[in-house]
């Protein structure tokens, strides 16, 4: 009689092939988590050093990849045809009000955050569909739902990425390929250095969420493992918010309740 898997086994990724695109910061922690759960991880980044450092930490391969180049993404998908898990964390932001935005800045943000997401879903999704299995995980942001001054193009691309995820889930689901998004809140990474350098701004963000603090990259890793594993076998087309309750709260003021 075949032994039934335990619930602990649902999170195991033994024998599965994973690709992390955006191997620094959050991507580095995601790679470590997937590796610790048994996956063989390839680490990709536009920054060759970042890809190599994370790959060395998890005993995996590295790949220099710029997702703004659709042909490079297509070639990477062709060279890695047996992937079970693809995680896309790469993104950028230009914080400017709409009237101050230049067309060039608009194009840079859209090319990475939206066109890059489309290319990854298209080319890696095509391979997964042909094999009738796989999990695609795209990092979005709380800005896919809530905004503030200076977030127009970034927020638009993140909302667009979520819609791409939903559509891919609808199109790929019939053959067993799942597509989901993760929406972090405020995370301690190099990309948030501008905020951390201004104590008032930094503290305002901390007090906006229910937990009253920033997150660290390792706190996103559990969501990646969950969506990559059989523990989420019936989850697709969803956005998993790892935001400390940011999008659950209405404003920064706590009114009296007496």
């Amino acid at each position: 009689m075949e032994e039934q898997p335990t619930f602990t086994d649902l999170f195991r990724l033994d024998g599965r092939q994973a690709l992390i695109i955006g191997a620094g910061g959050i991507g580095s922690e995601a790679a470590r988590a997937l590796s610790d759960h048994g996956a063989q991880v390839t680490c990709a980044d536009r920054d060759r050093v970042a890809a190599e450092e994370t790959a060395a930490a998890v005993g995996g391969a590295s790949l220099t990849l710029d997702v703004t180049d659709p042909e490079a993404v297509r070639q990477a998908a062709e060279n890695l045809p047996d992937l079970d898990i693809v995680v896309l964390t790469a993104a950028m932001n230009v914080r400017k009000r709409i009237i101050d935005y230049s067309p060039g800045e608009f194009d840079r943000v859209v090319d990475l955050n939206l066109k890059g997401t489309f290319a990854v879903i298209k080319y890696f999704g095509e391979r997964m569909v042909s094999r009738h299995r796989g999990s695609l995980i795209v990092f979005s942001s709380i800005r896919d739902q809530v905004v503030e001054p200076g977030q127009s193009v970034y927020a638009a691309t993140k909302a667009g990425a979520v819609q791409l995820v939903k559509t891919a889930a609808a199109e790929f689901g019939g053959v067993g390929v799942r597509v989901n998004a993760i929406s972090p809140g405020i995370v301690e990474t190099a990309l948030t250095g501008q905020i951390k350098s201004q104590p008032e701004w930094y503290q305002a963000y901390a007090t906006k969420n229910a937990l009253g603090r920033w997150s660290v990259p390792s706190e996103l890793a559990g969501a990646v493992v969950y969506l990559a594993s059989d523990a989420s076998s019936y989850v697709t087309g969803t956005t998993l918010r790892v935001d400390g309750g940011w999008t659950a709260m209405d404003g920064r003021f706590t009114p009296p309740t007496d």
Side-chain angles (χ1 to χ4, degrees), residues 141-251:
S141 164
I142 54 171
R143 299 306 174 200
D144 62 25
Q145 181 173 335
V146 294
V147 301
E148 65 183 6
Q151 296 278 15
S152 60
V153 183
Y154 180 77
T157 60
K158 290 302 186 179
V162 166
Q163 294 303 95
L164 286 174
V165 163
K166 290 179 179 180
T167 306
E171 294 178 354
F172 302 169
V175 294
V177 176
R178 299 183 297 107
V179 191
N180 292 288
I182 295 173
S183 285
I186 47 172
V187 189
E188 298 266 11
T189 69
L191 296 178
T192 52
Q194 178 187 7
I195 301 170
K196 290 186 287 186
S197 68
Q198 301 183 43
E200 185 178 4
W201 191 359
Y202 180 88
Q203 186 58 29
Y205 272 23
T207 57
K208 175 63 179 74
N209 65 74
L211 297 181
R213 62 174 178 84
W214 286 55
S215 67
V216 295
S218 61
E219 292 182 292
L220 281 299
V224 174
V225 171
Y226 169 66
L227 291 175
S229 72
D230 292 341
S232 62
S233 60
Y234 201 62
V235 178
T236 195
T238 196
T239 301
L240 178 55
R241 302 201 174 276
V242 189
D243 64 1
W246 182 296
T247 52
M249 295 180 63
D250 182 16

Side-chain angles (χ1 to χ4, degrees), residues 105-116:
E105 289 165 337
F106 178 95
D107 289 341
R108 281 168 50 211
V109 177
V110 170
D111 282 350
L112 178 55
N113 297 1
L114 194 56
K115 287 185 178 180

